[in-house]
Structure formats: C-alpha cells, structure tokens
Amino acid sequence: MVVYWEYAFAENFLLDGLLLWLALKTSRGKIRLRNLLFAAAVGAAEAIVFPLVAFPVWAAYLTKIAGGALICVIAVYRGSKKTYFVCMAAFFLYTFALGGLLTAAYSFFGVEYEEGNGYLVESAPVTLVFCLAAIFAIACAIGIKAFFRFRGVQKNLLRCTLSHRGRTVHWRGLADSGNCLRFRGEPVCVISPTAAFALFGRDFPVAGRMNVRTVNGERETPVLECEKVVIYCGKQTNTIEHVYFAVGDTGSKEYPIILHTALTEGNHGNAECAQSAAEQNLGQ
C-alpha cells in the first residue's frame, strides 16, 4: 500500500493544530499563531518519521510522550510553569479522547486497521475524520467556556451573614464588579424577592425607591435597608451596618444576593476581592 507523506503530513498538521488550540484554551495560555503553526508542523513531522524507525514498545511510548510534550512547549508563548503543565495535560487528554472517538467511529463504519500500527490513513475517509474532529472541537470549546464561566462565578462567591431585627440568615453572595448601583450615595446590593421575604418577612424596611437598569430593561424597585451584613473573604471579615438592598433577579438560585464590590473592598487593603471580581468579569 502506498502512503503519500504530504497527505499524512497535512492531516496530522490540522489535527495537531486543533488539539493544541484546545489545550491552549484550557490552560488559558496566550495563543500566538506562529508558535501554534510551528508546533503543529513539528507534530506532523513526528507522525511521519515515527513509523520509519523501529522502537521497542516501551521506547515507542516514551518517544510519543516526549514528542507530545515538545510540541506543547513550542505552542505555549511565554507561559508560566503551570501553563506549560496544564497545556501538556490537556493536550494528552484531548488526544486520547479524540482517538477514542475516532476508534469508535471506525469500528462502527467497519474501517480496517493493522494491529500495532494504528489506522491506515487511506482506510479512513478524510471527510469522516475531519467532521468528527470538528464536532469534537466545537463540543470541547463550549465545555471549556462553560467551565471557566462556572469557575469564575465560584471564585467570586463569598459567605455572608445578614441580620435584621432578630432574624439572621447565612447565604452566599456574588461579588460582581458590574453592580454599580447607588442610593443616596451609598452602594446597593441586589436581593431576590424570595430572599427578601426570608430576611425581612412581610414588614419590608423600605428606605425608598430607585430605577434599576438590566438587560431586560429599566424598572423601579424598592430599596430595603438591612441592619447588618457580615462578609467573609478568605481570612478577612468585613462588617457593614445599614446596607441597602434593591429587590431584583440575581440570575441564579445558587446565590440570592449580588454584592456591591465597594463593600468587599474593605476585606483587603489592596481591594483583592474587587479586583478578582473585575478580572473574572473581563475574562482575564
């Protein structure tokens, strides 16, 4: 059987480039096109040269692992040690996952292969390979985005204790730098209607009303005044008295309140919590 090296190179170049791109997205490393293309080219060259050299089984595995680590190092542009490590781990994980997906597809479609040498390039329709690779990449990209969004929210969830007229509740609040609400010059947090009833009962301590603008439009909402709020941020504790809350949708059942970052800045002299929230909202 004749194997055309240029076709094999092109196929491995595209697949390696795709896997490296996903690995860089996972490690949150800076994607530099020049590095990515060069790393993919090195990986494709390795895939062509490797079958031409006779290795013992143990040496073959070590060589493949070393080759994968090498192209990850090339692809990462000025990253930290953690970025290199995560990129390598993600690259091997995605490689095994895509390999398993292709193996299942080849088995389903009856594609022939040689034991020990892997699937022959000519035996697998190129369209099938790249269609599956594209579906795999899209699914992984969506998963990566959802994971970092979830992790960003979790990082900015702070334990809070709210006390008012003998009632005390313990909730988690989201420190959101996008909350710029002010009432009478003071920062305003957002509380869900259900949480408002749980904390204040039916006798709402209404301090006034204000207009709140959200993605759903602008509306007027009552502003409630809570006697005391305690916010826990790491080892620091910030206690604030007479905190204003605007009744509104928090967007999640996981946290019934959205904190104003002006209240969390007091936890650290360098405004660590507020800075962290701002970075996560900007996708940094």
Side-chain angles (χ1 to χ4, degrees), residues 2 18 26 84-86 156 202 229 232 260:
V2 179
L18 180 64
T26 302
Y84 283 105
F85 176 78
V86 175
N156 293 320
R202 295 188 176 275
V229 175
Y232 305 92
H260 196 293

Side-chain angles (χ1 to χ4, degrees), residues 152-162 170-176 189-190 229-232 245 250 254-260 264:
V153 170
Q154 293 300 312
K155 278 189 173 183
N156 293 320
L157 288 179
L158 307 177
R159 292 188 301 110
C160 304
T161 299
L162 288 73
H170 303 278
W171 291 324
R172 292 202 297 175
L174 177 67
D176 185 6
C189 302
V190 178
V229 175
V230 181
I231 303 173
Y232 305 92
F245 283 90
T250 61
E254 190 174 1
Y255 47 89
I257 55 177
I258 298 177
L259 301 170
H260 196 293
T264 64

